[in-house]
Amino acid sequence: MNRREGRRQVGTMSSAWRNTGLMTAALCGLANGVIAPASAQGALPPVTVDPPRQAPRPAVAAPRPARAAAPALARPRAVRRPQRAPAPVASTAPVPAPTGQGAASGRERGDGPVTGLVANRTTSGSKTDTPLLETPQAVTVIGAEQIDALKAQSVGEATRYAPGIRSETFGNDTRNDFFLIRGFQAEQRGYYLDNLQLFSQAFATFRVEPFGLERIEVLRGPSSVLYGGSNPGGMLNAISKKPLFTPFNHVEAGVNEFGRAYGAFDFSGPVKVGSSPADGSFAYRMTGLLRGGGTQTDNVGDDRIFIAPAFTWKPTEATSLTMLGSYTRDSTNLQNFLPYRGTVVPADFGGRIPTRRFTGDPTFDTFNREQAFIGYQLEHRFDNDVIFRQNARYSHLDINFNSAIGLGYTNEAAGNLGRYKFLTLPRANIFNVDNQLEKRFDTGLLSHTVLFGLDYRRYRLDDNQATNFSDTPFVGVSDVNVLTGAQTANAPLTKASGRYINASTVQDQLGAYLQDQVRFGRFTLALSGRYDAVRTDTANFVAPDESKLGTEGRFSGRAGLIYTSEIGIAPYASYSNSFNPQIGLNGLTQRPLRSETGEQVEVGVKYQPPGSRSYLAFSAFDLRRQSVALTDPANFLITQQTGEVRSTGLEVEAVAEVTRGLNLIASYTVYDLEITKNAVDTTVLGKRPVNTPERFGGVFVDYTIPDGPFQGFGFGGGVRFVGRSFATALNDFKVPSYTVGDAQVHYERAGWRFAVNASNVTDETFVASCSGLTACFYGERRRITGSVSYRW
């Protein structure tokens, strides 16, 4: 870094923190007496964090087992056990018990642990701690116990049985988390960590480690009204594990059939001050994972280092400050880009390409990612019961991606695949800060939860891309034979060879939002509005004439009404719109691209019987994505915004602890996706976007024997289905549907858990998707993972 760049970065951070200070001062100034006093009944409890996977211990004469037999997906809570003393076990080590007001009241927090399988509350739909049955929008919550039981190695794997979200879009990809929500690619602006956006652009992609998460929430439908520019299909919000004020320790190790092994730990508890025990005001958490080894594809590893320290300080019952940090380093290789012929259908060489074949160049192919997060969550309750929250985070990302990429056959009968070389070295930095004031109060028969927020995001991307791709593509890199893997070594690209992108982009977004959740009787009316100002400054060092500065302002709104009956049935209806800022130029006007927009109408019903451990939901929607950026097929350098895609569909989900020890997860999604406008290419009107299935779903059942000589032994299995999709815009090349099964067996006793999990247990070979006739991607073959863990 030269001195000028250093001064520029320092100035950028100084400006960002100055804006943060101004917003904080402004909001705190509003906190005294602007809104009417709250009723005592409507006041929120102070911030506490409950330990995961634990339940209060009833007072009984006989000692309770340290880890009683329980289902993998939801361990039965103590309050649901028969009123009898449990049989003693070999170990009588004490089980950590929850502490803090949240635990004492038994109430789940919308950003905290999920007890068992079924969640009751969420923060993603409103940024307030709200019951699912009072949220007039489709939300799915996946708790840490479900993530752990499925042994999910990625966020995509954790969402396999969730409705409305199609993860693992590009098959067995070890580089990124790709996912569709309601038919629209969502990882670019629909990926969030702790309610703050992880903006991805080009090849600068963040990835979150599931072992470090307390829950995953999938909010379906437009979310700009609370979060600013985002994907119209919805958002995936990952919630980090936070410090606990009761000791909690977890160690785990495992290995799969490809030789990929991992070890992980999760330690938390109070912090001692000096030589005396802590008084309950300090707590820590340290989570980490180390993974390394092979995959189903030769020469492709999946190595990761992950460490996440966290610290909480509660000086008073009214104030809490949690510091959250993490560092992740990934090392893997490019996913294969394979032809349609030879994967979906047989090729001229008489068969299909083996799934183990690596089509990159092992002498230089690499994908390395380094990312780091540091941030905090501050909450303070004023004397008039106004709650101020400030969430802030600085995110850094550095990627080195250098590969030889398949581009179709040069000799199909011989199995020779042509390739081109590609290099990208993106570096991204994001600063997010979200300031909130929340107040609960009554006006006559109406109870209000008012939220006012002011947030700011600054995103900077320094991007370099190089390639030897040209009008005569197969020059400068040798072919690879897809049958034998034979190839001639090639030299890697450098920034100086074939560079076609050298640019720096800075995008600032400042938004103000207001929301009122009005309760009258059993009705809840949610009204939200937001205004954003967006500024995008792009410096293009390859083509200085294309350096542009663009500004725009956008309004987002939402209105939703839900009725929660005494028996737990909650019908609802909502309307919302969104915007999604773009980076780039309109090829015709040579002006910065304006934002895409989205608009949705949704109706549905949720059902959660009082006192039960079950949740069922149904939603129907009509969603339009407008002003879509399109590339001219005659000239890929020209982009226009003349597209519209319509998505209408139905989603059903059921999550239930059916009986003691028996648990169920089920979902089904069906869409009607259609390109309704495209002035660049009218031949695709009425067609479905490529790489997008219209039907998918799954059912998973798990049972753990709760009593008797086999107490603690359990087994489960599931079936996942994904419907057909298309490889071309004209929908003339189909990618067949596929169905795979999962299975698991496990045994729990005295804090120990032994498990064997099998994904795609029958070892089906299938193509997950194709984004073109030379870009098809195999799905994951059978993967059997054995693991052992211990908690105390």
Side-chain angles (χ1 to χ4, degrees), residues 563-578:
Y563 175 81
T564 307
S565 71
E566 292 182 355
I567 59 174
I569 295 178
Y572 69 91
S574 67
Y575 168 83
S576 56
N577 59 27
S578 66

Side-chain angles (χ1 to χ4, degrees), residues 147-171:
I147 298 171
D148 176 60
L150 297 176
K151 293 303 173 193
Q153 299 295 299
S154 68
V155 170
E157 292 181 19
T159 60
R160 282 174 170 173
Y161 289 93
I165 179 169
R166 164 75 177 111
S167 299
E168 301 169 294
T169 315
F170 296 101

Side-chain angles (χ1 to χ4, degrees), residues 51-124:
R53 310 169 183 85
Q54 306 295 338
R57 297 171 56 193
V60 292
R64 181 167 292 279
R67 185 178 178 86
L73 290 180
R75 302 171 184 103
R77 298 177 299 169
V79 295
R80 299 185 65 226
R81 290 187 177 275
Q83 297 301 312
R84 55 185 174 85
V89 295
S91 172
T92 58
V95 178
T99 60
Q101 187 169 343
S105 65
R107 189 176 75 86
E108 171 193 330
R109 283 184 56 93
D111 60 352
V114 177
T115 302
L117 181 66
V118 183
N120 300 303
R121 309 181 73 86
T122 176
T123 57
S124 295

Side-chain angles (χ1 to χ4, degrees), residues 194-223:
D194 298 319
N195 290 318
L196 299 176
Q197 191 177 61
L198 294 175
F199 180 30
S200 296
Q201 178 73 18
F203 295 90
T205 53
F206 289 90
R207 200 174 197 196
V208 175
E209 169 54 47
F211 186 76
L213 302 180
E214 198 63 78
R215 58 167 67 195
I216 298 170
E217 300 193 340
V218 182
L219 176 67
R220 303 190 293 281
S223 56

Side-chain angles (χ1 to χ4, degrees), residues 118-119 132-133 139 606-609 613-617 653-656:
V118 183
L132 286 167
L133 291 187
V139 185
K606 305 178 183 185
Y607 180 46
Q608 194 167 27
R613 296 292 298 167
S614 62
Y615 176 77
L616 292 84
E653 69 173 312
V655 184

Side-chain angles (χ1 to χ4, degrees), residues 509-540:
Q509 179 177 298
L510 178 65
Y513 55 92
L514 181 64
Q515 174 180 267
D516 190 4
Q517 295 168 271
V518 185
R519 296 171 182 81
F520 47 101
R522 293 191 170 273
F523 287 93
T524 301
L525 175 66
L527 299 173
S528 312
R530 177 188 177 104
Y531 183 81
D532 281 275
V534 182
R535 172 190 169 101
T536 305
D537 187 359
T538 300
N540 189 329

